Amino acid sequence: MIKGITKMKGNTMSRIVLITGGATGIGAVTARLFKDRGYNVAVNYYKNGDEAAAFSRDAGIPAYEWDVGDAEACLNGVKQVEKDLGPVEILVNNAGIIRDKTIHKMPVEDWKAVIDTDLGSCFNMSRAVVPSMKEKKFGRIISISSVNGLAGQFGQTNYSAAKAGVIGFTKALALETARSGITANVVAPGYTETSMMEKVPVDVLKQIVDKVPVGRLAKPEEIARAILFLADDQSAFITGETLSVNGGLYMQ
């Protein structure tokens, strides 16, 4: 574990950001963007220790390991981050997994794993940070859903259910926390250039891209900028919303 690096904005301490699943993919790009903008950033990871260590060394961002699907681990993990850096002011619920199969072939374990990690983590992590946010009268909670949580996807009943649940969870959380200066919002990415997409066969990838009106995949930086926008102090009047970044693939 690497100790936090604190940066200053003028005479004001930069806000403390915690990003789950933040050592790879969209999470890692988002963590770098926040740090570049002067925020004090920490990331969470689970099991992918070598990747997390490499990211942490390269980015100068502390990485902490715990399972976001475990409520007690989340409480303890947040306590450690807050001991090292201070109270978390911005939480990005980014951690997620996939276990794709059609429903008649899907083991119960795969259903539970995705629901616990992709949806349960939003509850576990938000529950851990909301008390200190209420004390400070400031907080930003941004949870990552997916275009497939909005539109559904063949072979992803678990993932689509979890990502749809993130949206409902966030709307309720927004109502509960609005009077405390806390906003809760969702970013719902479309198909994005990540290592996961690199594993998709070329012919299948072409079919996906052909369906996107703008004619390409999203860049991770485009998702990260949407997250940064919702985290800004000046985004205080936006709460309970879902910001889709999908190139027109699905419009609500």
Side-chain angles (χ1 to χ4, degrees):
M1 187 183 298
I2 301 173
K3 294 294 182 181
I5 300 171
T6 303
K7 299 181 73 174
M8 304 290 286
K9 283 183 177 179
N11 294 321
T12 304
M13 187 73 73
S14 64
R15 295 214 180 272
I16 297 168
V17 183
L18 174 58
I19 303 171
T20 66
T24 58
I26 291 170
V29 172
T30 303
R32 290 178 185 274
L33 179 60
F34 270 101
K35 186 186 177 190
D36 288 347
R37 296 298 176 87
Y39 290 84
N40 194 13
V41 186
V43 300
N44 149 272
Y45 71 96
Y46 186 55
K47 291 186 177 179
N48 57 327
D50 291 342
E51 287 180 299
F55 166 80
S56 191
R57 285 193 302 269
D58 183 58
I61 294 172
Y64 299 79
E65 182 175 15
W66 71 83
D67 178 4
V68 292
D70 182 328
E72 190 66 25
C74 289
L75 289 171
N76 292 333
V78 168
K79 284 179 183 177
Q80 185 61 55
V81 171
E82 295 191 334
K83 179 181 178 182
D84 292 345
L85 306 181
V88 173
E89 296 163 288
I90 299 166
L91 169 66
V92 181
N93 287 314
N94 170 73
I97 60 172
I98 57 171
R99 297 285 188 274
D100 293 354
K101 287 183 180 68
T102 52
I103 193 165
H104 65 289
K105 295 181 180 178
M106 184 179 293
V108 172
E109 292 76 15
D110 285 358
W111 170 268
K112 289 183 176 180
V114 171
I115 296 297
D116 287 349
T117 301
D118 295 31
L119 176 58
S121 63
C122 293
F123 167 78
N124 295 337
M125 291 299 303
S126 299
R127 176 171 167 262
V129 301
V130 161
S132 64
M133 288 180 176
K134 283 191 170 184
E135 285 183 12
K136 296 195 73 170
K137 298 295 182 182
F138 179 90
R140 299 284 184 268
I141 299 174
I142 300 119
S143 299
I144 308 305
S145 180
S146 165
V147 64
N148 292 342
L150 295 165
Q153 181 57 269
F154 184 94
Q156 287 194 331
T157 52
N158 50 5
Y159 184 79
S160 294
K163 292 302 187 179
V166 168
I167 295 171
F169 167 83
T170 298
K171 289 180 178 180
L173 180 63
L175 292 173
E176 291 183 12
T177 58
R179 294 296 178 94
S180 299
I182 303 167
T183 66
N185 291 289
V186 173
V187 172
Y191 293 98
T192 306
E193 291 178 359
T194 63
S195 58
M196 185 184 300
M197 291 305 296
E198 290 174 1
K199 300 173 184 177
V200 176
V202 174
D203 58 331
V204 176
L205 183 60
K206 184 180 183 303
Q207 292 175 26
I208 292 171
V209 172
D210 285 346
K211 292 179 181 178
V212 180
V214 301
R216 63 174 176 84
L217 301 177
K219 298 181 184 301
E221 292 80 6
E222 293 173 313
I223 312 303
R225 282 194 289 271
I227 296 168
L228 184 72
F229 165 70
L230 292 171
D232 193 278
D233 280 26
Q234 295 184 34
S235 295
F237 210 60
I238 305 170
T239 194
E241 292 300 320
T242 298
L243 177 54
S244 290
V245 189
N246 61 37
L249 181 60
Y250 182 83
M251 303 182 193
Q252 293 173 278

